[in-house]
């Protein structure tokens, strides 16, 4: 018999997802909305079925990562737009892994767009829209209490493992994982991947044409 989950109060509403409580304190329901944004929320639109598409993509990737032994918050898909996830105590940092230089990295450092990065470049950003998600380092994170040294090391190790796994997965479909943003939280003392992995959180290029297949199109 399947377990029924009652959607409780709204706890959080981000740019494209909302989180609701459930009758189990350790679990939440993530709702993928049709909203899409760009330029730190300055450009906004609603795209038909976008929430369902992102939920399907993120579900596929999270299930693949779970099978690969990488801990995620994903439990199971409930509906086309809803997923049951573990309730995490989120770390207010974004881990970005870049396989190819493009976007803000090129603007910031003046490097050539399309430059392959080997090994992949790992960067850390403070998750704060009002400040424009500034680049930070481990010393900032520890000094301001955003994460411990051990948590930061786990985030780095997990981010590189996720990147390696997904580069191979995307290559099977003639896709290039250019870069991706990962967010982590604490679940029963363990650092766990949260949020989503979808075209909203990573750059994906068609290997044959070089066309962008992610939010950059918007």
């Amino acid at each position: 018999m399947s377990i029924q989950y009652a959607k409780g109060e709204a706890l959080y509403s981000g740019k494209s997802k909302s989180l609701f409580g459930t009758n189990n304190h350790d679990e939440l329901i993530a709702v993928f909305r049709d909203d899409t944004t760009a330029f730190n929320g300055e450009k906004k639109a609603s795209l038909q079925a976008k929430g369902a598409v992102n939920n399907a993509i993120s579900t596929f990737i999270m299930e693949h990562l779970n099978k690969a032994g990488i801990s995620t918050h994903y439990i199971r898909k409930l509906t086309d737009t809803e997923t049951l996830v573990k309730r995490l105590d989120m770390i207010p940092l974004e881990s970005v892994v870049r396989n190819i230089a493009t976007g803000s990295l090129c603007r910031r450092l003046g490097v050539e767009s399309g430059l392959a990065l080997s090994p992949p470049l790992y960067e850390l950003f403070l998750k704060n829209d009002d400040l424009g998600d500034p680049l930070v380092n481990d010393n900032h994170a520890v000094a301001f209490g955003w994460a411990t040294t051990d948590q930061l090391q786990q985030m780095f190790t997990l981010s590189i493992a996720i990147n390696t796994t997904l580069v191979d997965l995307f290559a099977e479909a003639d896709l290039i994982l250019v870069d991706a943003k990962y967010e982590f939280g604490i679940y029963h003392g363990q650092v766990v991947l949260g949020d989503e992995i979808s075209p909203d959180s990573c750059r994906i290029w068609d290997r044959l044409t070089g066309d962008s297949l992610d939010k950059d199109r918007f």
Side-chain angles (χ1 to χ4, degrees):
M1 182 176 67
S2 62
I3 300 175
Q4 298 299 313
Y5 290 91
K7 185 190 293 183
E9 63 176 328
L11 302 177
Y12 171 81
S13 183
K15 294 175 183 175
S16 60
K17 286 196 310 302
S18 299
L19 293 176
F20 294 82
T22 71
N23 48 333
N24 182 337
H25 180 266
D26 274 352
E27 297 173 351
L28 302 174
I29 293 175
V31 178
F32 289 72
R33 307 193 310 268
D34 288 343
D35 300 330
T36 190
T37 65
F39 312 116
N40 265 340
E42 294 179 17
K43 181 180 179 181
K44 301 177 182 179
S46 180
L47 304 178
Q48 184 177 5
K50 185 253 189 179
V53 170
N54 271 19
N55 190 25
I57 293 172
S58 191
T59 290
F60 175 78
I61 292 174
M62 291 291 184
E63 289 178 347
H64 183 80
L65 292 175
N66 282 341
K67 290 176 183 176
I70 295 171
S71 297
T72 79
H73 73 155
Y74 173 85
I75 298 175
R76 67 184 177 93
K77 185 178 177 182
L78 298 175
T79 69
D80 283 350
T81 58
E82 297 177 331
T83 293
L84 187 69
V85 298
K86 300 168 186 172
R87 182 194 289 258
L88 306 184
D89 182 10
M90 296 302 294
I91 297 170
L93 298 169
E94 298 177 345
S95 296
V96 174
V97 182
R98 304 180 187 274
N99 298 302
I100 297 175
T102 193
S104 64
L105 178 65
C106 297
R107 294 191 296 272
R108 190 169 11 112
L109 300 179
V111 297
E112 176 188 356
S113 181
L115 176 69
L117 303 171
S118 182
L121 176 64
Y122 177 81
E123 294 184 313
L124 202 60
F125 296 85
L126 176 64
K127 187 174 173 63
N128 187 316
D129 286 342
D130 292 338
L131 298 177
D133 299 332
L135 178 70
V136 296
N137 60 36
D138 287 11
N139 290 331
H140 291 111
V142 173
F144 295 114
W146 300 326
T148 67
T149 300
D150 181 60
Q151 289 167 352
L152 291 165
Q153 180 59 52
Q154 291 183 63
M155 290 165 59
F156 170 76
T157 301
L158 284 168
S159 295
I160 298 303
I162 293 166
N163 182 68
T164 300
T165 301
L166 295 188
V167 164
D168 292 342
L169 177 67
F170 284 25
E172 293 177 10
D174 280 330
L175 300 175
I176 298 172
L177 178 60
V178 176
D179 55 42
K181 170 184 68 70
Y182 307 118
E183 296 184 26
F184 296 93
I186 308 300
Y187 183 75
H188 294 182
Q190 180 184 9
V191 175
V192 171
L193 175 67
D195 197 39
E196 67 181 281
I197 300 180
S198 74
D200 269 10
S201 65
C202 55
R203 282 190 176 91
I204 307 162
W205 290 351
D206 185 300
R207 184 180 297 276
L208 301 179
T209 67
D211 290 342
S212 174
L213 302 175
D214 55 67
K215 196 170 74 169
D216 277 356
R217 296 171 69 96
F218 175 69

